[in-house]
Amino acid sequence: MAKSYSGDMEILIDTVLAQAPACLQNRALLQSIDWTKVESGKVANMLTSLDEAKKKAPPWLLTALVVAGHSIADQRLERLSLPLKLLNRLNSADEPDEALKTTAADVGARIIGDKDTALALVKQLKAKGLADEALQLALTNRETMPQLLRPVAAELKEHVEGFAAAKIRVLGTSTTQPFVQDLAPAFAASGFNVSIDEANFGEVIPELLRPASGDYDAYVLMLDLEGFHPHDGRQETDKNLTMLTERIDLLTSSLASFANQSTAPLFLNTLPLPPAPVVGFMDRHHADGMAASVALVNSALAELASQHNQIILIDSFAAFSDLAPTSWTDPKMWYYGRIPYSAEASRALATSFALAWRAEKRGPAKVLVLDLDNTMWGGIFGEDGVTGLQCGDDFPGNAFKAMQNEFLRLKKQGMILAILSKNDPAAISAFTDHPGIIMKEDDFVAHRINWVPKPQNILELASEINVGLDSFIFLDDSPHEREAMRALAPQVLTPELPDDPAQRPGFLRALAQTWPIRLTDEDAQRSSMYLARRKASEAQSSATSFEDYLAGLQQKLLIEEVNATTLPRIAQMHQKTNQFNLTTKRYDEADIKEMMDDADAMVVLGQVSDKFGDHGISICATVAINGKEAELKTLLMSCRVIGREVEVAFLGAILENLAAHGVKTLKASYIPTEKNVIVADFYGDQGLEKGETINNATLYSWNAGNSPLPASSFVQTLWPAKT
Amino acid sequence: MSDDIRPEIAEIFEDIFEFEGDLSLKTTPEDVPKWDSLKHIALVTTLETNFDISLSMDEMHEIQSVGDIHTILERHGA
């Protein structure tokens, strides 16, 4: 233990400990103690004094002691959770024995309720040489407690190196970075070592139409409503609906174009329902309604996914099912950095994408292995007999019948069912003799009804059916059987089946490892809701090219020189822009003001708009003029309009204007930083002549009359007050 | 590292900013090369998760130094 209390503090704490029985009433005194600083002898004395006073040490006190690293007699912890008992045993163990390892493997698969316990467990498991179990626990609980991954960061890194690699390109309608951070642990938990490239901010349509080269295994598109179709209170209703429809058409036709040319799949999420309406009670059907908009987008995506095997839809409703509807977004993060989903929602979404990728690569689990007593039916065959078993239309057997319906559903989806029960072999007769049991013996391809340990039985089953253990799911109501399976056959997925039979059918449906990802073509033909509609739309589907898209955008670039009103924005852009920034000179307001007042300097800015709306001041440049020579000091542009030739039109307009004022030569330079690599070749691509590189800056020049004038046919450029 | 700095905060700075230099209450984004606006988001999210608190937009803006983080944690009783 790091430090102990000393001096006056020690006297104070000793007094509280001595009065522990009385202090239980006023628990704040005991709760305020940092138990890591109290010697074990004093803790033991305190517990003894409680015994002598005939008071039971309460769970919160025992938990605090164990979390702080103390070890306590097992019997005191009888009523406490298994994870806490494990921690307690680890605290006193020098070297974990087999029993402790078994328990550790079991606990590693569980969701832990208490954060302090979970964190202490991860650290202790690691300290006692059970690093794999520590990592497992951290991965299992990473959605609610991401901080657990910290102590095992090195183990995680080493662990995933052995995993199958997945190279992924992430696109998004808003900021994707925090979400990207969540993908690596989520993919690791699904058994993949992921490497990720991000598209430029908001660049979805251009990426879909011209997929980035880089041998990506998959594309991930994070969609959000505000990024996709911003809410604009000024908009007339019919205009709003028109814009939404146009955006949907553009997105779906771009996705279709992507699916037709890409061999890699694209995963995207549906839009979650906003927690509050904008048209009150009419939100579901009014053309301005948020819920109505979300429904339009989602049904268009569903239709598209039904037509293209390469498009895989992640249902945000299912992804966020453990979150309160108000918690999937964190408004301050939206306003700060256009981050559409809260940290917890982002983690949940990452998990869903990783599970879908796993299903894509490995398929859903293939074999479902089922226990009989109190799993298949209520009651125990050996004690209650066939007639005493609960299963049928009456309470409580109806919950077991509902569960059997789920088993049959999975069988229909192609899953193999098997029975694994420690039981009298005659138990199989219940499938024939019990009127309420809807499953039949031949629904199962194999059964093992005997007294052999289950992990051993499942190994035999695996070789008999010839399917790897990592495609097995094992459902059993007994915690002991689950623990044995996790310890001895860790490849088998052994979920924590809820104790309450009423919870089980929903639990099994939510188990993503059973979810099919795509049907065969014939299945799709038969089952698609959109079959009829597809036939109608096939006739009118038209190819979309990137050029068609740019032409259709109807972009306008309005150029003007800076004034007192626009000055703060120009200074702000110079401070904040990292990617499309040729020289990254961080001019502030004073610098810009000076240039504004200087006859030999020019500060120009461009406002960009298109048919979807106004992007505001998105590009700017500063120029120093010296007679027939000018120098482009800075040129920078907001990420929002990258890749649409706005920069080309802007540069062309500036050059044209300078030439009209007698400038013969313009000098420009590119200064590389960690973040502006996307503009490394910008000047060269525009036909400027490349010169030498001095002090890290690559120089370029443009000569009136000789060099070409950059121009874009996709941007209508206006410079009304041209000087 | 001075005694005024909570060890959890030093850990967070190591994780998010890969910063292993000396932290003081006066440490600002100027002193921590990777403390940019994007990493600031990760900082706030991690503080919220690890200390079980919820920060406001103003508080997000208010964090301009390690001392500010301590002030805010104290305010939230974390």
Side-chain angles (χ1 to χ4, degrees):
Chain A
M1 264 153 247
K3 283 181 192 168
S4 298
Y5 286 114
S6 58
D8 289 347
M9 271 311 280
E10 187 179 12
I11 297 168
L12 191 60
I13 299 292
D14 286 348
T15 312
V16 173
L17 293 187
Q19 299 297 321
C23 287
L24 281 183
Q25 294 295 328
N26 182 1
R27 57 156 99 173
L29 281 171
L30 284 166
Q31 276 177 327
S32 66
I33 295 176
D34 179 352
W35 293 104
T36 61
K37 295 184 180 173
V38 181
E39 293 143 33
S40 53
K42 290 185 179 176
V43 169
N45 288 342
M46 175 189 72
L47 290 172
T48 313
S49 74
L50 289 178
D51 292 341
E52 284 163 0
K54 303 227 178 315
K55 296 211 168 164
K56 264 204 149 108
W60 57 261
L61 180 59
L62 293 169
T63 303
L65 291 171
V66 173
V67 166
H70 293 283
S71 64
I72 291 171
D74 272 345
Q75 63 268 23
R76 289 191 192 275
L77 298 179
E78 250 166 34
R79 292 172 304 151
L80 279 82
S81 69
L82 183 67
L84 199 75
K85 287 177 187 157
L86 172 65
L87 180 59
N88 185 47
R89 286 164 60 197
L90 285 169
N91 285 345
S92 61
D94 290 329
E95 208 167 299
D97 57 14
E98 282 306 315
L100 207 51
K101 283 182 191 168
T102 303
T103 311
D106 184 26
V107 169
R110 295 181 180 218
I111 298 289
I112 312 286
D114 177 55
K115 197 166 69 183
D116 296 333
T117 305
L119 193 57
L121 250 181
V122 169
K123 289 181 178 166
Q124 262 305 22
L125 283 167
K126 186 184 164 181
K128 297 289 157 84
L130 298 174
D132 284 351
E133 287 78 2
L135 179 60
Q136 190 55 51
L137 184 71
L139 284 173
T140 305
N141 289 278
R142 73 187 184 286
E143 271 195 45
T144 46
M145 307 172 192
Q147 64 270 44
L148 298 188
L149 287 167
R150 181 181 200 274
V152 287
E155 282 77 9
L156 178 62
K157 213 173 156 205
E158 193 184 324
H159 195 61
V160 297
E161 273 169 16
F163 288 170
K167 194 175 173 195
I168 287 177
R169 179 88 173 167
V170 176
L171 338 175
T173 39
S174 293
T175 305
T176 51
Q177 276 91 343
F179 168 68
V180 162
Q181 299 295 317
D182 295 326
L183 283 174
F187 271 74
S190 278
F192 292 92
N193 181 7
V194 74
S195 61
I196 299 166
D197 279 348
E198 279 175 89
N200 288 321
F201 173 83
E203 212 172 303
V204 172
I205 305 295
E207 281 261 345
L208 290 176
L209 296 177
R210 287 195 306 198
S213 56
D215 290 330
Y216 296 105
D217 296 312
Y219 292 76
V220 161
L221 167 53
M222 187 190 76
L223 210 59
D224 73 292
L225 180 62
E226 193 60 26
F228 176 70
H229 178 63
H231 175 60
D232 184 348
R234 297 163 303 182
Q235 203 68 267
E236 295 296 329
T237 298
D238 53 348
K239 182 81 192 305
N240 179 50
L241 189 59
T242 310
M243 298 237 300
L244 176 63
T245 313
E246 282 187 16
R247 285 188 171 116
I248 291 174
D249 288 347
L250 183 58
L251 178 65
T252 52
S253 63
S254 305
L255 283 167
S257 149
F258 174 90
N260 288 332
Q261 55 181 302
S262 171
T263 49
L266 181 141
F267 299 78
L268 80 164
N269 62 289
T270 62
L271 294 175
L273 210 54
V278 296
V279 208
F281 294 108
M282 299 183 294
D283 207 57
R284 285 270 180 183
H285 56 83
H286 193 280
D288 278 340
M290 284 257 186
S293 305
V294 164
L296 267 186
V297 175
N298 287 346
S299 75
L301 295 178
E303 177 164 2
L304 187 82
S306 81
Q307 294 165 18
H308 295 279
N309 262 341
Q310 294 301 84
I311 308 275
I312 293 148
L313 212 49
I314 308 292
D315 191 349
S316 59
F317 183 77
F320 296 159
S321 59
D322 286 342
L323 306 180
T326 44
S327 72
W328 62 253
T329 178
D330 184 345
K332 69 171 178 295
M333 290 300 180
W334 171 259
Y335 296 116
Y336 183 85
R338 297 183 71 86
I339 296 158
Y341 297 113
S342 66
E344 49 183 343
S346 173
R347 289 193 294 272
L349 207 52
T351 300
S352 293
F353 277 104
L355 287 169
W357 172 246
R358 192 194 142 90
E360 162 75 13
K361 288 307 278 183
R362 312 231 164 113
K366 294 187 179 74
V367 186
L368 182 62
V369 180
L370 301 161
D371 169 50
L372 292 179
D373 291 338
N374 287 320
T375 300
M376 183 69 69
W377 51 63
I380 296 167
F381 175 81
E383 290 173 13
D384 305 315
V386 171
T387 48
L389 299 177
Q390 297 158 350
C391 188
D393 293 324
D394 300 320
F395 180 85
N398 49 2
F400 288 95
K401 182 184 167 186
M403 193 61 168
Q404 292 191 359
N405 269 318
E406 299 300 330
F407 298 154
L408 290 169
R409 166 180 68 81
L410 291 172
K411 180 181 172 237
K412 187 172 144 194
Q413 280 172 15
M415 216 174 215
I416 294 168
L417 307 184
I419 294 169
L420 183 49
S421 172
K422 277 186 185 161
N423 221 323
D424 178 351
I428 196 79
S429 64
F431 289 103
T432 322
D433 299 342
H434 192 292
I437 291 177
I438 58 172
M439 298 192 78
K440 297 291 158 227
E441 191 181 338
D442 59 11
D443 286 326
F444 305 93
V445 300
H447 53 75
R448 288 286 183 284
I449 305 175
N450 53 36
W451 302 96
V452 174
K454 292 191 178 185
Q456 190 181 325
N457 263 325
I458 216 164
L459 286 170
E460 280 180 34
L461 271 176
S463 67
E464 181 181 321
I465 311 173
N466 199 20
V467 172
L469 279 183
D470 57 357
S471 288
F472 275 64
I473 297 178
F474 172 59
L475 292 187
D476 199 312
D477 66 301
S478 154
H480 301 291
E481 296 296 353
R482 296 198 297 262
E483 177 182 320
M485 191 63 77
R486 285 173 189 153
L488 297 170
Q491 308 93 319
V492 173
L493 177 69
T494 305
E496 277 295 279
L497 189 71
D499 284 341
D500 183 357
Q503 297 294 334
R504 294 180 187 170
F507 169 82
L508 185 53
R509 277 194 210 171
L511 195 64
Q513 284 87 348
T514 66
W515 293 1
I517 192 155
R518 71 168 56 99
L519 302 163
T520 63
D521 284 350
E522 304 88 80
D523 285 342
Q525 290 291 337
R526 239 181 307 128
S527 57
S528 172
M529 265 183 77
Y530 294 98
L531 181 65
R533 286 222 260 159
R534 179 203 314 183
K535 287 199 167 141
S537 66
E538 259 168 12
Q540 46 171 299
S541 78
S542 57
T544 307
S545 73
F546 185 66
E547 285 69 27
D548 291 343
Y549 156 68
L550 285 184
L553 271 180
Q554 299 159 22
Q555 300 186 92
K556 287 194 183 70
L557 172 65
L558 178 64
I559 303 179
E560 61 186 34
E561 287 200 51
V562 72
N563 59 35
T565 320
T566 51
L567 191 145
R569 167 70 182 151
I570 300 307
Q572 183 204 35
M573 281 181 75
H574 275 84
Q575 296 301 319
K576 281 178 60 177
T577 308
N578 292 320
Q579 296 191 47
F580 197 106
N581 194 337
L582 272 302
T583 54
T584 322
K585 292 186 173 137
R586 300 294 189 194
Y587 293 148
D588 61 18
E589 281 202 41
D591 299 326
I592 306 282
K593 176 83 171 48
E594 200 174 302
M595 288 185 254
M596 191 172 109
D597 298 337
D598 181 352
D600 289 332
M602 186 165 82
V603 182
V604 248
L605 56 95
Q607 305 202 39
V608 179
S609 61
D610 60 35
K611 73 170 172 184
F612 293 121
D614 192 349
H615 298 283
I617 299 174
S618 309
I619 186 165
C620 64
T622 57
V623 188
I625 304 167
N626 184 8
K628 291 183 176 177
E629 265 195 25
E631 188 191 350
L632 200 47
K633 308 285 275 187
T634 57
L635 172 62
L636 43 128
M637 185 170 77
S638 150
C639 303
R640 280 174 290 186
V641 291
I642 281 180
R644 295 160 47 165
E645 299 200 0
V646 167
E647 61 276 25
V648 179
F650 187 69
L651 179 63
I654 292 175
L655 292 170
E656 196 179 9
N657 188 30
L658 288 171
H661 283 79
V663 171
K664 298 289 179 206
T665 313
L666 178 100
K667 295 202 178 306
S669 53
Y670 165 69
I671 304 174
T673 67
E674 263 179 41
K675 291 176 178 162
N676 72 351
V677 62
I678 62 166
V679 291
D681 300 322
F682 175 67
Y683 285 136
D685 290 345
Q686 301 315 316
L688 274 68
E689 196 173 311
K690 191 169 177 176
E692 48 190 337
T693 300
I694 298 172
N695 290 339
N696 205 23
T698 309
L699 304 181
Y700 289 89
S701 62
W702 180 85
N703 297 297
N706 291 332
S707 308
L709 192 66
S712 168
S713 54
F714 301 121
V715 182
Q716 186 193 350
T717 308
L718 302 163
W719 195 336
K722 204 186 275 186
T723 49
Chain B
M1 189 177 72
S2 88
D3 273 355
D4 316 337
I5 308 296
R6 293 175 63 161
E8 306 101 298
I9 292 180
E11 279 186 6
I12 290 174
F13 270 63
E14 215 180 297
D15 286 353
I16 297 179
F17 306 131
E18 294 162 35
F19 185 80
E20 291 175 12
D22 278 341
L23 280 185
S24 82
L25 292 174
K26 295 203 172 89
T27 305
T28 70
E30 299 276 299
D31 311 313
V32 182
K34 297 211 165 164
W35 190 348
D36 59 16
S37 60
L38 204 64
K39 293 279 184 197
H40 192 70
I41 291 165
L43 172 66
V44 170
T45 310
T46 308
L47 289 173
E48 291 188 318
T49 312
N50 291 14
F51 294 96
D52 254 333
I53 53 175
S54 177
L55 302 185
S56 70
M57 192 155 89
D58 284 344
E59 284 171 324
M60 193 164 177
H61 197 60
E62 184 186 328
I63 297 177
Q64 299 294 339
S65 72
V66 172
D68 296 338
I69 297 175
H70 281 80
T71 311
I72 284 173
L73 289 180
E74 262 170 44
R75 187 187 303 152
H76 285 266

